[in-house]
Short mmCIF file of all heavy atoms in Angstrom, two decimals:
data_model
loop_
_atom_site.label_atom_id
_atom_site.label_comp_id
_atom_site.label_asym_id
_atom_site.label_seq_id
_atom_site.Cartn_x
_atom_site.Cartn_y
_atom_site.Cartn_z
N MET G 1 55.59 -64.13 12.75
CA MET G 1 54.82 -64.96 11.80
C MET G 1 54.92 -66.43 12.18
O MET G 1 53.92 -67.12 12.21
CB MET G 1 55.36 -64.73 10.38
CG MET G 1 54.49 -65.40 9.30
SD MET G 1 52.77 -64.85 9.30
CE MET G 1 52.00 -66.06 8.27
N VAL G 2 56.15 -66.89 12.48
CA VAL G 2 56.33 -68.28 12.89
C VAL G 2 55.59 -68.53 14.20
O VAL G 2 54.94 -69.56 14.38
CB VAL G 2 57.83 -68.61 13.04
CG1 VAL G 2 58.01 -70.02 13.60
CG2 VAL G 2 58.53 -68.50 11.68
N ALA G 3 55.66 -67.53 15.12
CA ALA G 3 54.97 -67.68 16.40
C ALA G 3 53.47 -67.78 16.19
O ALA G 3 52.78 -68.54 16.86
CB ALA G 3 55.30 -66.49 17.30
N LEU G 4 52.95 -67.02 15.23
CA LEU G 4 51.51 -67.06 14.94
C LEU G 4 51.10 -68.44 14.44
O LEU G 4 50.12 -69.01 14.90
CB LEU G 4 51.18 -65.99 13.90
CG LEU G 4 49.71 -65.91 13.49
CD1 LEU G 4 48.88 -65.31 14.62
CD2 LEU G 4 49.56 -65.07 12.23
N VAL G 5 51.88 -68.97 13.49
CA VAL G 5 51.58 -70.29 12.94
C VAL G 5 51.65 -71.34 14.03
O VAL G 5 50.80 -72.22 14.11
CB VAL G 5 52.56 -70.64 11.79
CG1 VAL G 5 52.39 -72.10 11.36
CG2 VAL G 5 52.32 -69.71 10.60
N GLN G 6 52.67 -71.25 14.91
CA GLN G 6 52.83 -72.22 15.99
C GLN G 6 51.64 -72.14 16.95
O GLN G 6 51.10 -73.16 17.36
CB GLN G 6 54.13 -71.98 16.74
CG GLN G 6 55.33 -72.58 16.01
CD GLN G 6 56.64 -72.27 16.69
OE1 GLN G 6 56.71 -71.37 17.53
NE2 GLN G 6 57.69 -72.98 16.32
N SER G 7 51.23 -70.92 17.30
CA SER G 7 50.12 -70.78 18.23
C SER G 7 48.83 -71.28 17.60
O SER G 7 47.98 -71.84 18.29
CB SER G 7 49.97 -69.32 18.67
OG SER G 7 49.42 -68.55 17.63
N LEU G 8 48.67 -71.11 16.28
CA LEU G 8 47.47 -71.60 15.60
C LEU G 8 47.45 -73.12 15.58
O LEU G 8 46.42 -73.73 15.82
CB LEU G 8 47.42 -71.06 14.17
CG LEU G 8 46.91 -69.64 14.00
CD1 LEU G 8 47.03 -69.21 12.55
CD2 LEU G 8 45.46 -69.52 14.44
N SER G 9 48.60 -73.73 15.29
CA SER G 9 48.64 -75.19 15.18
C SER G 9 48.57 -75.85 16.54
O SER G 9 48.29 -77.04 16.62
CB SER G 9 49.92 -75.62 14.45
OG SER G 9 51.05 -75.22 15.18
N HIS G 10 48.82 -75.08 17.62
CA HIS G 10 48.79 -75.67 18.95
C HIS G 10 47.46 -75.44 19.68
O HIS G 10 47.21 -76.04 20.70
CB HIS G 10 49.94 -75.13 19.82
CG HIS G 10 51.24 -75.81 19.51
ND1 HIS G 10 51.58 -77.04 20.01
CD2 HIS G 10 52.26 -75.44 18.72
CE1 HIS G 10 52.77 -77.39 19.54
NE2 HIS G 10 53.20 -76.43 18.75
N SER G 11 46.62 -74.57 19.17
CA SER G 11 45.37 -74.28 19.86
C SER G 11 44.19 -74.57 18.94
O SER G 11 43.81 -73.76 18.12
CB SER G 11 45.33 -72.82 20.33
OG SER G 11 45.55 -71.97 19.24
N ARG G 12 43.66 -75.75 19.05
CA ARG G 12 42.54 -76.16 18.20
C ARG G 12 41.26 -75.34 18.44
O ARG G 12 40.55 -75.05 17.48
CB ARG G 12 42.25 -77.64 18.40
CG ARG G 12 43.12 -78.50 17.53
CD ARG G 12 42.71 -79.95 17.53
NE ARG G 12 43.65 -80.72 16.72
CZ ARG G 12 43.50 -80.89 15.41
NH1 ARG G 12 42.46 -80.39 14.79
NH2 ARG G 12 44.38 -81.56 14.72
N PRO G 13 40.93 -75.02 19.69
CA PRO G 13 39.70 -74.23 19.89
C PRO G 13 39.70 -72.93 19.10
O PRO G 13 38.66 -72.51 18.61
CB PRO G 13 39.71 -73.95 21.40
CG PRO G 13 40.45 -75.10 21.96
CD PRO G 13 41.53 -75.41 20.95
N GLN G 14 40.89 -72.30 18.95
CA GLN G 14 40.95 -71.07 18.18
C GLN G 14 40.65 -71.34 16.71
O GLN G 14 39.93 -70.59 16.07
CB GLN G 14 42.35 -70.46 18.33
CG GLN G 14 42.37 -69.00 17.93
CD GLN G 14 43.75 -68.39 18.15
OE1 GLN G 14 44.69 -69.10 18.50
NE2 GLN G 14 43.85 -67.10 17.95
N ILE G 15 41.18 -72.46 16.19
CA ILE G 15 40.92 -72.81 14.79
C ILE G 15 39.42 -73.09 14.62
O ILE G 15 38.81 -72.67 13.64
CB ILE G 15 41.76 -74.05 14.38
CG1 ILE G 15 43.24 -73.65 14.31
CG2 ILE G 15 41.28 -74.60 13.05
CD1 ILE G 15 44.17 -74.84 14.28
N LEU G 16 38.84 -73.78 15.57
CA LEU G 16 37.41 -74.08 15.51
C LEU G 16 36.58 -72.80 15.49
O LEU G 16 35.63 -72.67 14.73
CB LEU G 16 36.99 -74.95 16.70
CG LEU G 16 37.12 -76.46 16.50
CD1 LEU G 16 36.77 -77.18 17.79
CD2 LEU G 16 36.20 -76.94 15.39
N SER G 17 36.97 -71.84 16.35
CA SER G 17 36.21 -70.59 16.41
C SER G 17 36.37 -69.81 15.11
O SER G 17 35.43 -69.17 14.65
CB SER G 17 36.65 -69.74 17.59
OG SER G 17 37.96 -69.27 17.41
N ILE G 18 37.57 -69.90 14.49
CA ILE G 18 37.77 -69.23 13.20
C ILE G 18 36.89 -69.87 12.14
O ILE G 18 36.23 -69.19 11.34
CB ILE G 18 39.26 -69.28 12.79
CG1 ILE G 18 40.09 -68.34 13.69
CG2 ILE G 18 39.44 -68.89 11.33
CD1 ILE G 18 41.58 -68.58 13.60
N ILE G 19 36.83 -71.21 12.14
CA ILE G 19 36.00 -71.92 11.16
C ILE G 19 34.53 -71.58 11.38
O ILE G 19 33.78 -71.33 10.44
CB ILE G 19 36.24 -73.44 11.26
CG1 ILE G 19 37.64 -73.78 10.73
CG2 ILE G 19 35.18 -74.21 10.47
CD1 ILE G 19 38.10 -75.19 11.08
N LEU G 20 34.10 -71.56 12.65
CA LEU G 20 32.71 -71.23 12.95
C LEU G 20 32.38 -69.81 12.51
O LEU G 20 31.32 -69.55 11.94
CB LEU G 20 32.45 -71.37 14.46
CG LEU G 20 32.18 -72.80 14.93
CD1 LEU G 20 32.10 -72.85 16.45
CD2 LEU G 20 30.89 -73.34 14.33
N ALA G 21 33.32 -68.88 12.73
CA ALA G 21 33.10 -67.49 12.32
C ALA G 21 32.99 -67.39 10.81
O ALA G 21 32.14 -66.67 10.28
CB ALA G 21 34.22 -66.62 12.83
N ALA G 22 33.83 -68.17 10.11
CA ALA G 22 33.79 -68.16 8.64
C ALA G 22 32.47 -68.72 8.14
O ALA G 22 31.85 -68.18 7.22
CB ALA G 22 34.96 -68.96 8.09
N LEU G 23 32.01 -69.82 8.77
CA LEU G 23 30.73 -70.42 8.37
C LEU G 23 29.58 -69.46 8.63
O LEU G 23 28.67 -69.32 7.80
CB LEU G 23 30.50 -71.72 9.14
CG LEU G 23 31.31 -72.93 8.65
CD1 LEU G 23 31.10 -74.11 9.58
CD2 LEU G 23 30.89 -73.31 7.24
N LEU G 24 29.64 -68.77 9.78
CA LEU G 24 28.59 -67.80 10.10
C LEU G 24 28.57 -66.67 9.08
O LEU G 24 27.50 -66.24 8.63
CB LEU G 24 28.83 -67.25 11.51
CG LEU G 24 27.67 -66.46 12.12
CD1 LEU G 24 26.51 -67.39 12.45
CD2 LEU G 24 28.13 -65.75 13.38
N GLY G 25 29.77 -66.22 8.69
CA GLY G 25 29.87 -65.16 7.69
C GLY G 25 29.28 -65.61 6.36
O GLY G 25 28.54 -64.86 5.73
N LEU G 26 29.59 -66.85 5.96
CA LEU G 26 29.04 -67.38 4.71
C LEU G 26 27.52 -67.48 4.79
O LEU G 26 26.83 -67.17 3.82
CB LEU G 26 29.64 -68.76 4.43
CG LEU G 26 31.06 -68.78 3.89
CD1 LEU G 26 31.59 -70.20 3.83
CD2 LEU G 26 31.11 -68.15 2.50
N LEU G 27 27.01 -67.90 5.96
CA LEU G 27 25.57 -68.02 6.14
C LEU G 27 24.90 -66.65 6.00
O LEU G 27 23.88 -66.51 5.32
CB LEU G 27 25.27 -68.61 7.52
CG LEU G 27 23.78 -68.91 7.79
CD1 LEU G 27 23.33 -70.13 7.00
CD2 LEU G 27 23.55 -69.13 9.26
N VAL G 28 25.51 -65.62 6.63
CA VAL G 28 24.95 -64.27 6.54
C VAL G 28 24.95 -63.80 5.10
O VAL G 28 23.96 -63.24 4.61
CB VAL G 28 25.75 -63.30 7.45
CG1 VAL G 28 25.38 -61.85 7.16
CG2 VAL G 28 25.50 -63.62 8.91
N ILE G 29 26.07 -64.05 4.39
CA ILE G 29 26.15 -63.63 2.98
C ILE G 29 25.10 -64.37 2.15
O ILE G 29 24.43 -63.79 1.30
CB ILE G 29 27.57 -63.89 2.43
CG1 ILE G 29 28.56 -62.89 3.06
CG2 ILE G 29 27.60 -63.78 0.92
CD1 ILE G 29 30.01 -63.29 2.90
N TYR G 30 24.93 -65.68 2.43
CA TYR G 30 23.96 -66.49 1.69
C TYR G 30 22.54 -65.97 1.91
O TYR G 30 21.78 -65.77 0.96
CB TYR G 30 24.08 -67.95 2.15
CG TYR G 30 23.06 -68.87 1.54
CD1 TYR G 30 23.22 -69.34 0.24
CD2 TYR G 30 21.94 -69.25 2.26
CE1 TYR G 30 22.29 -70.17 -0.33
CE2 TYR G 30 21.00 -70.09 1.70
CZ TYR G 30 21.18 -70.55 0.40
OH TYR G 30 20.24 -71.37 -0.15
N VAL G 31 22.19 -65.71 3.20
CA VAL G 31 20.83 -65.24 3.51
C VAL G 31 20.60 -63.85 2.91
O VAL G 31 19.55 -63.58 2.33
CB VAL G 31 20.62 -65.22 5.04
CG1 VAL G 31 19.33 -64.49 5.40
CG2 VAL G 31 20.59 -66.65 5.57
N ALA G 32 21.61 -62.98 3.03
CA ALA G 32 21.48 -61.63 2.48
C ALA G 32 21.32 -61.69 0.97
O ALA G 32 20.48 -60.99 0.39
CB ALA G 32 22.69 -60.80 2.86
N GLY G 33 22.10 -62.52 0.31
CA GLY G 33 22.02 -62.65 -1.14
C GLY G 33 20.67 -63.19 -1.56
O GLY G 33 20.08 -62.74 -2.55
N HIS G 34 20.13 -64.14 -0.77
CA HIS G 34 18.84 -64.72 -1.09
C HIS G 34 17.73 -63.70 -0.98
O HIS G 34 16.87 -63.60 -1.86
CB HIS G 34 18.58 -65.90 -0.15
CG HIS G 34 18.14 -67.12 -0.88
ND1 HIS G 34 16.88 -67.61 -0.83
CD2 HIS G 34 18.83 -67.95 -1.70
CE1 HIS G 34 16.80 -68.68 -1.58
NE2 HIS G 34 17.98 -68.91 -2.12
N SER G 35 17.72 -62.92 0.13
CA SER G 35 16.65 -61.93 0.30
C SER G 35 16.78 -60.84 -0.75
O SER G 35 15.77 -60.32 -1.23
CB SER G 35 16.71 -61.33 1.70
OG SER G 35 17.89 -60.60 1.88
N GLN G 36 18.02 -60.50 -1.13
CA GLN G 36 18.22 -59.50 -2.16
C GLN G 36 17.65 -60.01 -3.49
O GLN G 36 17.05 -59.26 -4.25
CB GLN G 36 19.71 -59.22 -2.31
CG GLN G 36 20.03 -57.75 -2.43
CD GLN G 36 21.51 -57.49 -2.26
OE1 GLN G 36 22.32 -58.40 -2.32
NE2 GLN G 36 21.86 -56.25 -2.05
N TYR G 37 17.83 -61.31 -3.76
CA TYR G 37 17.30 -61.90 -4.99
C TYR G 37 15.77 -61.77 -5.00
O TYR G 37 15.19 -61.41 -6.02
CB TYR G 37 17.70 -63.37 -5.08
CG TYR G 37 16.94 -64.11 -6.15
CD1 TYR G 37 17.30 -63.97 -7.49
CD2 TYR G 37 15.85 -64.91 -5.82
CE1 TYR G 37 16.59 -64.62 -8.48
CE2 TYR G 37 15.13 -65.56 -6.81
CZ TYR G 37 15.51 -65.42 -8.14
OH TYR G 37 14.80 -66.06 -9.11
N HIS G 38 15.14 -62.02 -3.86
CA HIS G 38 13.68 -61.93 -3.80
C HIS G 38 13.22 -60.50 -4.01
O HIS G 38 12.21 -60.26 -4.67
CB HIS G 38 13.17 -62.48 -2.47
CG HIS G 38 13.08 -63.97 -2.46
ND1 HIS G 38 12.21 -64.67 -3.25
CD2 HIS G 38 13.76 -64.90 -1.78
CE1 HIS G 38 12.35 -65.96 -3.04
NE2 HIS G 38 13.31 -66.14 -2.16
N ILE G 39 13.96 -59.53 -3.42
CA ILE G 39 13.59 -58.12 -3.60
C ILE G 39 13.70 -57.75 -5.07
O ILE G 39 12.80 -57.12 -5.63
CB ILE G 39 14.50 -57.23 -2.73
CG1 ILE G 39 14.14 -57.41 -1.25
CG2 ILE G 39 14.36 -55.75 -3.13
CD1 ILE G 39 15.19 -56.90 -0.28
N LEU G 40 14.79 -58.16 -5.72
CA LEU G 40 14.98 -57.87 -7.14
C LEU G 40 13.89 -58.55 -7.97
O LEU G 40 13.34 -57.96 -8.90
CB LEU G 40 16.36 -58.35 -7.59
CG LEU G 40 17.53 -57.47 -7.20
CD1 LEU G 40 18.84 -58.16 -7.54
CD2 LEU G 40 17.45 -56.13 -7.93
N HIS G 41 13.57 -59.79 -7.62
CA HIS G 41 12.56 -60.54 -8.36
C HIS G 41 11.19 -59.87 -8.23
O HIS G 41 10.47 -59.71 -9.22
CB HIS G 41 12.51 -61.98 -7.82
CG HIS G 41 11.48 -62.82 -8.50
ND1 HIS G 41 10.25 -63.10 -7.93
CD2 HIS G 41 11.47 -63.42 -9.71
CE1 HIS G 41 9.55 -63.84 -8.77
NE2 HIS G 41 10.27 -64.05 -9.86
N ASP G 42 10.84 -59.47 -6.99
CA ASP G 42 9.56 -58.81 -6.77
C ASP G 42 9.50 -57.49 -7.52
O ASP G 42 8.46 -57.12 -8.08
CB ASP G 42 9.35 -58.58 -5.27
CG ASP G 42 9.04 -59.89 -4.55
OD1 ASP G 42 8.80 -60.91 -5.23
OD2 ASP G 42 9.04 -59.88 -3.31
N ALA G 43 10.62 -56.74 -7.53
CA ALA G 43 10.66 -55.46 -8.23
C ALA G 43 10.45 -55.67 -9.72
O ALA G 43 9.66 -54.96 -10.35
CB ALA G 43 11.99 -54.77 -7.97
N ALA G 44 11.13 -56.66 -10.29
CA ALA G 44 10.98 -56.95 -11.72
C ALA G 44 9.54 -57.36 -12.01
O ALA G 44 8.97 -56.98 -13.03
CB ALA G 44 11.95 -58.06 -12.12
N HIS G 45 8.94 -58.12 -11.10
CA HIS G 45 7.57 -58.57 -11.26
C HIS G 45 6.60 -57.39 -11.26
O HIS G 45 5.69 -57.31 -12.09
CB HIS G 45 7.25 -59.54 -10.11
CG HIS G 45 6.03 -60.37 -10.35
ND1 HIS G 45 5.41 -61.08 -9.36
CD2 HIS G 45 5.32 -60.60 -11.47
CE1 HIS G 45 4.37 -61.70 -9.85
NE2 HIS G 45 4.29 -61.43 -11.15
N ASP G 46 6.82 -56.45 -10.32
CA ASP G 46 5.97 -55.26 -10.24
C ASP G 46 6.08 -54.44 -11.52
O ASP G 46 5.09 -53.93 -12.04
CB ASP G 46 6.36 -54.41 -9.03
CG ASP G 46 5.93 -55.06 -7.72
OD1 ASP G 46 5.13 -56.02 -7.77
OD2 ASP G 46 6.37 -54.61 -6.66
N VAL G 47 7.29 -54.29 -12.04
CA VAL G 47 7.50 -53.52 -13.27
C VAL G 47 6.76 -54.19 -14.42
O VAL G 47 6.12 -53.52 -15.23
CB VAL G 47 9.02 -53.39 -13.58
CG1 VAL G 47 9.23 -52.85 -15.00
CG2 VAL G 47 9.69 -52.50 -12.56
N ARG G 48 6.81 -55.51 -14.46
CA ARG G 48 6.13 -56.25 -15.52
C ARG G 48 4.63 -55.97 -15.47
O ARG G 48 3.98 -55.75 -16.50
CB ARG G 48 6.39 -57.75 -15.34
CG ARG G 48 6.80 -58.42 -16.65
CD ARG G 48 7.06 -59.89 -16.44
NE ARG G 48 7.98 -60.15 -15.34
CZ ARG G 48 8.27 -61.36 -14.88
NH1 ARG G 48 7.70 -62.42 -15.41
NH2 ARG G 48 9.11 -61.51 -13.90
N HIS G 49 4.04 -55.97 -14.27
CA HIS G 49 2.61 -55.71 -14.15
C HIS G 49 2.30 -54.26 -14.44
O HIS G 49 1.27 -53.95 -15.07
CB HIS G 49 2.14 -56.07 -12.72
CG HIS G 49 1.87 -57.53 -12.57
ND1 HIS G 49 0.62 -58.08 -12.69
CD2 HIS G 49 2.71 -58.56 -12.32
CE1 HIS G 49 0.69 -59.40 -12.51
NE2 HIS G 49 1.96 -59.70 -12.28
N ALA G 50 3.16 -53.34 -14.00
CA ALA G 50 2.92 -51.92 -14.21
C ALA G 50 2.93 -51.57 -15.69
O ALA G 50 2.20 -50.68 -16.13
CB ALA G 50 4.00 -51.12 -13.47
N THR G 51 3.75 -52.27 -16.47
CA THR G 51 3.83 -51.99 -17.90
C THR G 51 2.80 -52.79 -18.68
O THR G 51 2.74 -52.69 -19.91
CB THR G 51 5.24 -52.31 -18.44
OG1 THR G 51 5.58 -53.64 -18.08
CG2 THR G 51 6.28 -51.35 -17.87
N GLY G 52 1.96 -53.59 -17.99
CA GLY G 52 0.90 -54.33 -18.65
C GLY G 52 1.39 -55.55 -19.38
O GLY G 52 0.69 -56.10 -20.24
N PHE G 53 2.61 -56.00 -19.08
CA PHE G 53 3.16 -57.18 -19.75
C PHE G 53 2.56 -58.43 -19.11
O PHE G 53 2.62 -58.58 -17.90
CB PHE G 53 4.70 -57.17 -19.59
CG PHE G 53 5.41 -58.13 -20.50
CD1 PHE G 53 5.68 -57.77 -21.82
CD2 PHE G 53 5.79 -59.38 -20.06
CE1 PHE G 53 6.34 -58.64 -22.67
CE2 PHE G 53 6.45 -60.27 -20.89
CZ PHE G 53 6.72 -59.90 -22.20
N PRO G 54 1.93 -59.31 -19.87
CA PRO G 54 1.32 -60.50 -19.28
C PRO G 54 2.37 -61.46 -18.73
O PRO G 54 3.33 -61.78 -19.44
CB PRO G 54 0.56 -61.13 -20.44
CG PRO G 54 1.26 -60.66 -21.66
CD PRO G 54 1.82 -59.31 -21.34
N CYS G 55 2.23 -61.89 -17.48
CA CYS G 55 3.23 -62.80 -16.93
C CYS G 55 2.60 -64.00 -16.25
O CYS G 55 3.24 -65.01 -16.07
CB CYS G 55 4.18 -62.06 -16.01
SG CYS G 55 3.59 -61.80 -14.35
N HIS G 56 1.34 -63.92 -15.81
CA HIS G 56 0.71 -65.12 -15.24
C HIS G 56 -0.80 -64.99 -15.23
O HIS G 56 -1.32 -64.01 -15.67
CB HIS G 56 1.23 -65.42 -13.83
CG HIS G 56 1.04 -64.32 -12.83
ND1 HIS G 56 -0.05 -64.19 -12.05
CD2 HIS G 56 1.84 -63.27 -12.55
CE1 HIS G 56 0.07 -63.13 -11.29
NE2 HIS G 56 1.20 -62.55 -11.58
ZN1 ZN O 1 2.78 -61.36 -12.31
#
């Protein structure tokens, strides 16, 4: 464990790659969540029209 911490604090490129990987993961989650929101929104919209509920 101490060796791991020492190797992390001594190798900045590894920390940078970890940060980049984390940012990429957050970006993927953000994009996936956004497209899922649109799918849910479109589905709710279709249901509203199918049931004859006036929406626009
Ligand atoms: Zn509509």
